[in-house]
Amino acid sequence: MEYITNSEQQTRDIAKNLSPTLIGGTILCLHGDLGAGKTTFVKGLAEGLGITDTILSPTFTLMNMYRVERSKWKVR
């Protein structure tokens, strides 16, 4: 699926709306140029999952891990 957004808020909203569909243990790989909106996307995803940690840019890291309450994940 492909989404094209025109604002930071739209990017955050898409990610926030995606968060309830994720299953525990899901790994997301983000790919994009600098300024493409990866960090904004992760901030929206974190908001939807109830993560209150400071969200760091995923651009120059191999992996960022954030704890999520079990009640926020779907169970298979």
Side-chain angles (χ1 to χ4, degrees), residues 6-73:
N6 296 306
S7 70
E8 287 186 27
Q9 190 58 53
Q10 285 180 344
T11 302
R12 286 178 84 131
D13 289 345
I14 286 171
K16 185 177 178 180
N17 291 333
L18 173 69
S19 66
T21 69
L22 300 177
I23 296 170
T26 298
I27 296 173
L28 299 176
C29 178
L30 303 177
H31 180 279
D33 294 333
L34 289 172
K38 297 178 298 291
T39 303
T40 301
F41 181 86
V42 173
K43 286 179 179 182
L45 199 63
E47 183 181 349
L49 292 171
I51 296 170
T52 58
D53 296 350
T54 300
I55 303 302
L56 304 173
S57 171
T59 299
F60 295 109
T61 57
L62 295 178
M63 182 184 323
N64 287 331
M65 295 177 63
Y66 301 97
R67 290 201 175 275
V68 179
E69 293 177 34
R70 286 183 158 255
S71 63
K72 297 288 183 180
W73 287 109

